[in-house]
Amino acid sequence: DIQMTQSPSTLSASVGDRVTITCRASQSISSWLAWYQQKPGKAPKLLIYKASSLESGVPSRFSGSGSGTEFTLSISSLQPDDFATYYCQQYNRYWTFGQGTKVEIK
Amino acid sequence: QVQLVESGGDLVRPGGSLRLSCAASGFNFSDYYMSWIRQAPGKGLEWVSYISSSGSTIYYADSVKGRFTISRDNAKNSLYLQMNSLRAEDTAVYYCVGAVAALYYFDYWGQGTLVTVSS
């Protein structure tokens, strides 16, 4: 099984900050990685697929990078609507999610 | 617009059974590859089961293999999850999700239905 590890688990930041979340895979997954945003009581929402492709309608302040085993999700200038939990997911072999990173207000 | 609406979640005793349904609309359901994802209270996301667009290919997570059965009815634009021998650790919100291609990321998500397994 492919394990996905995100860091940090919690991130405290202010509006306007640049934020970076890291996701590591236990083995190479090429670029078969997606990022999702989840708000309390809601379903996850797709942000990024194939490691760096922005889903339609997602603000350009979100970006993804990486390949192989190390990936990052960046938010260039944190907005009030961005405080949420973020999950990475590999789809190289079946599907596995990271444990999540909660972005909270500092 | 795209909608996935789950139903069937309930409180059930350990060892009991439950059938979840997911009604799809706003897209060509028969072209989509569907899965169930679950999220235990306060926890992360776990893939549960996958079914190809035609229903010919099915996968299960080890945690539910032999207990859960996924199926679909493309004529009714519906996805199902039959859950037997339920355990406390199956307690979760169950999401119906869709992917545009086989073994791909999930671009469509339902709102979820809560399954609680408790005596």
Side-chain angles (χ1 to χ4, degrees), chain B residues 8-20 38 46 48 63-69 81-94 113-119:
Chain B
D10 204 347
L11 170 64
V12 61
R13 294 183 186 277
S17 297
L18 209 56
R19 189 194 197 207
L20 304 184
R38 69 183 180 184
E46 180 189 17
V48 172
S63 57
V64 306
K65 201 173 293 182
R67 301 188 298 123
F68 289 11
T69 302
L81 186 68
Q82 177 67 43
M83 304 187 294
N84 298 331
S85 303
L86 282 161
R87 307 167 179 166
E89 54 265 35
D90 296 319
T91 294
V93 173
Y94 284 73
T113 188
L114 177 62
V115 172
T116 304
V117 184
S118 174
S119 55

Side-chain angles (χ1 to χ4, degrees), chain A residues 1 32 34 36 38 41-46 49-50 55 87 89 91 94-95 97-99, chain B residues 35 37 39 43-47 50 59 62 95 102-107 109-112:
Chain A
D1 290 7
W32 304 120
Y36 300 86
Q38 187 178 34
K42 300 292 187 182
K45 171 190 170 185
L46 177 68
Y49 59 93
K50 209 172 179 185
E55 173 70 349
Y87 292 94
Q89 176 214 26
Y91 51 102
Y94 301 119
W95 301 266
F97 293 87
Q99 81 278 16
Chain B
S35 285
I37 303 291
Q39 186 170 35
K43 302 296 184 183
L45 300 163
E46 180 189 17
W47 166 74
Y50 160 94
Y59 301 124
D62 287 343
Y95 294 102
L103 307 177
Y104 231 42
Y105 56 87
F106 305 123
D107 39 2
W109 291 70
Q111 86 289 349

Side-chain angles (χ1 to χ4, degrees), chain A residues 10-45:
Chain A
T10 305
L11 190 160
S12 298
S14 301
V15 172
D17 284 353
R18 179 178 180 84
V19 163
T20 299
I21 299 168
T22 298
C23 178
R24 289 185 173 87
S26 59
Q27 63 188 76
S28 178
I29 58 170
S30 185
S31 295
W32 304 120
L33 184 101
W35 289 96
Y36 300 86
Q37 177 194 66
Q38 187 178 34
K39 296 181 179 178
K42 300 292 187 182
K45 171 190 170 185

Side-chain angles (χ1 to χ4, degrees), chain B residues 29-42:
Chain B
F29 179 75
S30 61
D31 286 343
Y32 268 68
Y33 299 76
M34 303 300 293
S35 285
W36 290 95
I37 303 291
R38 69 183 180 184
Q39 186 170 35

